[in-house]
Structures are given as C-alpha cells and as structure tokens.
C-alpha cells in the first residue's frame, strides 16, 4: 500500500510540474495544462482520478518554476499587472470588483491576463458602461466559482495591451465570494487588498 501511495504521489508531482511548465511558458489554463501534462507523463494510459493534481498543487509548482526560470522578469511583470488591475477596478468600482486568478495569487507571467469578478445589479449595466467607454468586447461564458450548473457571462477585451476578462455574477453572489477556496487560500481580493499586495512587494 505504501508503494502505491508513493508511486501515486510521484506521478501526481510529475504531472503537476509538467502542467506548471505549460502554464508558465505557454499561458495554458489549468484544465488544459492538466490534460496535456497527464498525456505527456502517462501517454494514452487512462488516468485515475487520484493521480491528477489539484489546482493548489499546480499553483505551487508554477511558483517554483517562476522562481527557477523567470526570477529576473516575473516579479516586475506581476507588479505591472497588479497596478493595471487596481486602475481597472477603480474604474469599475460601482460593480463591486474583485481580482482573482494568477494576478492575485502571484503566479502571473508573460502570458497571463487580468481576471476580475463583478457583482452588478445587472450584467447589462456593465456592458453599457463598457460601450460608453468605447471598449470593444466579446461575450462568452465561464464556470461559476461556486460550482453551480449555470455558467456566468464573461466579457473580454484588450486594455492597455493586456487581456481582461470580467466575469459578471449576480449581486447576491458576493456573499459566497468571500469564502476561502478548498485550499484555504483567498479566491479573490478587492482593490484595497490588491493595493496592499503592491505596497508589500515594493517594500521588498
């Protein structure tokens, strides 16, 4: 049993490291990176559920990869994206913006976009706001952070040469948004919290 556990943990770690490389080097999303990494490590072998690493483990591996290979560029890139995110969140303040994703958790790299969750009274209010700002955006759908079946409308656009994705939740969803993720880490942060992260990094 111990050998099985050890082998499982080794495979999980190997897949996590391979996925982290795809995320850091190519900008792959976590789901795609996991699938590609599993195929790289295991070939066409059917992957057992317990072998697949969770996002928290992959996130840790992305941090390690960034420290090893992008230590001279990644911190500045992260700081740049966080400062842009705060400016964007200030513009969107009426819609209760919260930063999420790689720019919040500190793993953002060259290919990372800015992901913000909004909690407006109406999604149309956000679209009208962007149209009035002459922002050319595309509309798609993304998964609800709470695991609900219904998708969330997401608007995406380029802003100061960076990709931005705004997930438009219902106003009442903000209560559930404040809960930490399964790994205990905060899943999102308001503008003041992001400013604190910026101040902390600039003092180092």
């Amino acid at each position: 049993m111990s050998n099985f556990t050890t082998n499982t943990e080794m495979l999980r770690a190997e897949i996590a490291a391979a996925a982290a490389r795809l995320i850091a080097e190519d900008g792959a999303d976590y789901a795609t990176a996991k699938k590609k990494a599993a195929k790289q490590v295991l070939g066409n072998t059917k992957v057992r559920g317990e072998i697949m690493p969770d996002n928290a483990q992959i996130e840790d591996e992305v941090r390690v990869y960034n420290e090893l290979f992008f230590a001279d560029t990644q911190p500045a890139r992260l700081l740049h994206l966080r400062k842009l995110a705060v400016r964007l969140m200030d513009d969107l303040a009426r819609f209760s913006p919260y930063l999420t994703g790689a720019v919040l958790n500190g793993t953002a790299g060259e290919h990372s976009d800015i992901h913000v969750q909004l909690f407006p009274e109406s999604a149309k209010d956000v679209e009208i706001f962007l149209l009035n700002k002459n922002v050319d955006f595309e509309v798609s759908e993304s998964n609800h952070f709470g695991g609900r079946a219904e998708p969330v409308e997401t608007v995406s656009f380029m802003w100061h040469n960076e990709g931005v994705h705004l997930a438009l939740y219902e106003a009442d969803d903000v209560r559930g948004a404040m809960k930490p993720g399964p790994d205990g880490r905060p899943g999102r942060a308001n503008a003041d919290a992001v400013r604190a992260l910026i101040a902390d990094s600039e003092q180092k």
Side-chain angles (χ1 to χ4, degrees):
M1 190 66 163
S2 61
N3 285 338
F4 171 77
T5 302
T6 300
N7 289 339
T8 299
E9 289 174 351
M10 287 176 62
L11 284 171
R12 190 184 300 126
E14 194 173 347
I15 292 171
R21 183 170 62 253
L22 289 167
I23 292 166
E25 295 283 357
D26 303 331
D29 63 80
Y30 276 59
T32 301
K34 268 197 265 195
K35 288 179 184 176
K36 288 186 176 180
K39 190 166 186 179
Q40 286 178 9
V41 174
L42 300 170
N44 292 322
T45 303
K46 187 175 181 181
V47 181
R48 299 193 308 273
E50 69 269 16
I51 288 178
M52 291 298 282
D54 59 20
N55 286 355
Q57 184 175 2
I58 295 174
E59 181 183 315
D60 288 338
E61 288 294 332
V62 175
R63 295 180 195 281
V64 171
Y65 195 92
N66 283 336
E67 289 173 4
L68 285 173
F69 298 103
F70 298 117
D72 55 338
T73 58
Q74 192 267 342
R77 169 70 177 160
L78 175 62
L79 183 61
H80 167 71
L81 289 173
R82 282 178 170 172
K83 287 182 175 180
L84 275 183
V86 166
R87 289 173 58 188
L88 177 66
M89 293 166 76
D90 285 343
D91 284 348
L92 297 167
R94 73 186 72 175
F95 305 119
S96 302
Y98 286 82
L99 181 66
T100 188
V103 180
L104 172 61
N105 68 35
T107 61
E110 178 184 355
H111 303 285
S112 298
D113 292 341
I114 297 171
H115 291 263
V116 175
Q117 295 174 348
L118 302 182
F119 300 87
E121 292 298 324
S122 167
K124 287 296 179 187
D125 292 342
V126 178
E127 294 182 3
I128 292 169
F129 175 84
L130 294 175
L131 288 171
N132 287 338
K133 294 280 190 179
N134 297 315
V135 174
D136 184 17
F137 60 85
E138 296 180 353
V139 179
S140 61
E141 294 180 340
S142 55
N143 294 328
H144 195 290
F145 64 76
R148 297 181 194 171
E150 67 272 17
V152 176
E153 181 180 328
T154 301
V155 295
S156 302
F157 53 90
M158 295 299 295
W159 188 72
H160 293 278
N161 298 315
E162 301 293 349
V164 171
H165 307 279
L166 306 179
L168 310 183
Y169 288 86
E170 295 181 4
D172 290 343
D173 283 338
V174 73
R175 290 195 297 270
M178 295 304 96
K179 298 176 182 177
D183 56 6
R185 301 173 184 175
R188 53 204 52 79
N190 62 21
D192 286 342
V194 180
R195 286 190 185 92
L197 290 173
I198 292 170
D200 182 62
S201 64
E202 290 183 326
Q203 290 171 3
K204 292 179 179 178

